[in-house]
Amino acid sequence: MKPRLQTALLRSVLYVPGSNSKTLAKAPTLDADALILDLEDSVAPEAKAQARSNVLDTLHATRDAPAQIRVVRINGSHTELWQDDLITTLPGLPDAVLLSKVESPDELSGPNEYLHRLEQDQDFSCSLWAMIESPLGVLNALAIARHPRVSCLVMGTSDLSRTLGIPGDPQRIGLRHALQHTILAAKAAGIRILDGVFVNIRDPEGMIAECHDGARLGFDGKTVIHPCQIAAANQAFLPSDAEAAQARLVLEAWNAARARGEEICVVDGRLVERLHADQAAQRLARWEAARKK
Ligand code: COA
Ligand code: MG
């Protein structure tokens, strides 16, 4: 995996329809941590060819000073489209390719071989991200996450809700098990995982609530569909200033305990062991990385 991808913040990851030149032009100016330049469901069948060429132009235009992680979403390996999606857009050197509707690790073979061949010919490396958006994809999430080229899972909650036949419920009760199962798979494989989209762009409170729900569940960030949703995701998937200050206190107390030859201490009534100090250090590092952006 590219070092840039290993450490990158992925709080807000914006879908940008590849067929819409206006959104493609605007996306690099926005505060999203990553862009998913889409060739799949937001692009009509008759617009696929033009969308591939638009996406390549956007990748070229942002290549020298990429402010964001750049990902191309390609059509699923069960379609006739994915190879042309790759052939046309890979010369733009995206950081990752997001494969839609992945249900088993076998489906990764075609895109993986293609990327492998290209890497041998050129000085280039590209990660694979996988969309988990069906019951079978959820059940096979661990095998998919363990594929050596896969560095991130992306929940496709709209497709998953449709297949499960469940309503859009603010508590996401019907999705809970699937979300948690897929998060466990990603964490067990040591890769990143992003929450699905919140489809109502006129419901900022609902968006904020769902971002915090995703952060509490353990997602690294959220996929978003509109510029107005970016700030909510950036805020929710980052420790607050108060949490960063608390993390600093924990670290100081634990370092002082270590200097006395002790392995545990108590901060504000709470037990602090090495694991809590590690967690505090990670939290602080994420907070500092976001401040530097
Ligand atoms: N990426 C970048 N820019 C976007 C954007 C996106 N996803 N969505 C909207 N914008 C831009 C518009 O181009 C417009 O720019 P301008 O102010 O320079 O004219 C501005 O933000 C305001 O857009 P607005 O008029 O409110 O939205 P819209 O009605 O044009 O579009 C959607 C609404 C939902 C159709 C659009 O946001 C969209 O296509 N989102 C992505 C959908 C997608 O990719 N789905 C697949 C995965 S779920
Ligand atoms: Mg989908």
Side-chain angles (χ1 to χ4, degrees):
M1 199 199 309
K2 284 186 175 182
R4 189 168 119 78
L5 259 190
Q6 262 166 351
T7 54
L9 286 171
L10 293 175
R11 300 164 300 172
S12 55
V13 178
L14 176 67
Y15 282 106
V16 192
S19 49
N20 184 336
S21 0
K22 221 173 95 177
T23 55
L24 284 168
K26 190 168 182 97
T29 68
L30 299 168
D31 203 20
D33 288 332
L35 305 178
I36 297 177
L37 309 174
D38 187 28
L39 298 174
E40 202 223 8
D41 280 355
S42 70
V43 178
E46 60 279 11
K48 298 283 184 194
Q50 182 62 53
R52 290 181 190 119
S53 140
N54 294 345
V55 164
L56 179 63
D57 290 346
T58 303
L59 289 169
H60 280 316
T62 52
R63 186 172 151 181
D64 289 336
Q68 292 136 324
I69 296 293
R70 302 163 319 144
V71 182
V72 177
R73 180 164 81 161
I74 62 169
N75 290 277
S77 55
H78 57 283
T79 68
E80 310 266 285
L81 299 163
W82 68 269
Q83 278 158 312
D84 282 343
D85 291 345
L86 282 182
I87 291 166
T88 311
T89 59
L90 282 180
L93 308 184
D95 295 288
V97 163
L98 170 60
L99 184 63
S100 323
K101 300 186 170 61
V102 182
E103 297 201 300
S104 90
D106 300 345
E107 293 170 35
L108 302 166
S109 308
N112 180 48
E113 276 162 31
Y114 191 89
L115 291 170
H116 182 69
R117 275 202 305 276
L118 202 82
E119 283 173 354
Q120 307 227 299
D121 297 345
Q122 299 180 27
D123 180 22
F124 167 64
S125 84
C126 184
S127 201
L128 253 185
W129 290 11
M131 289 221 59
I132 304 296
E133 46 189 338
S134 69
L136 188 57
V138 170
L139 293 172
N140 286 333
L142 181 58
I144 294 165
R146 278 190 170 153
H147 188 285
R149 193 181 287 276
V150 171
S151 64
C152 185
L153 299 183
V154 180
M155 293 302 314
T157 39
S158 299
D159 272 295
L160 188 56
S161 301
R162 180 180 49 84
T163 317
L164 292 173
I166 54 177
D169 145 35
Q171 307 298 322
R172 302 202 285 180
I173 300 289
L175 282 178
R176 219 87 196 140
H177 177 73
L179 297 177
Q180 292 183 313
H181 178 95
T182 314
I183 290 166
L184 285 175
K187 305 278 169 172
I191 65 168
R192 319 288 287 276
I193 179 159
L194 303 174
D195 201 354
V197 301
F198 183 74
V199 291
N200 189 346
I201 57 177
R202 303 235 169 83
D203 179 5
E205 279 87 27
M207 174 67 190
I208 290 170
E210 197 167 286
C211 286
H212 284 287
D213 181 55
R216 277 195 301 269
L217 284 170
F219 284 108
D220 293 293
K222 190 165 180 69
T223 47
V224 303
I225 52 171
H226 190 278
C228 71
Q229 298 184 323
I230 294 171
N234 284 351
Q235 199 266 325
F237 288 94
L238 198 67
S240 64
D241 291 353
E243 285 166 329
Q246 181 66 18
R248 208 172 280 117
L249 267 185
V250 165
L251 268 181
E252 282 165 10
W254 193 77
N255 286 334
R258 286 298 303 131
R260 297 192 298 272
E262 291 163 13
E263 187 67 16
I264 57 174
C265 61
V266 175
V267 176
D268 292 339
R270 288 172 190 270
L271 174 68
V272 174
E273 298 177 2
R274 185 178 292 262
L275 76 104
H276 302 110
D278 289 348
Q279 207 176 17
Q282 276 171 13
R283 194 165 286 161
L284 212 49
R286 274 168 54 73
W287 181 79
E288 276 162 5
R291 281 175 65 88
K292 278 193 206 124
K293 267 198 96 184

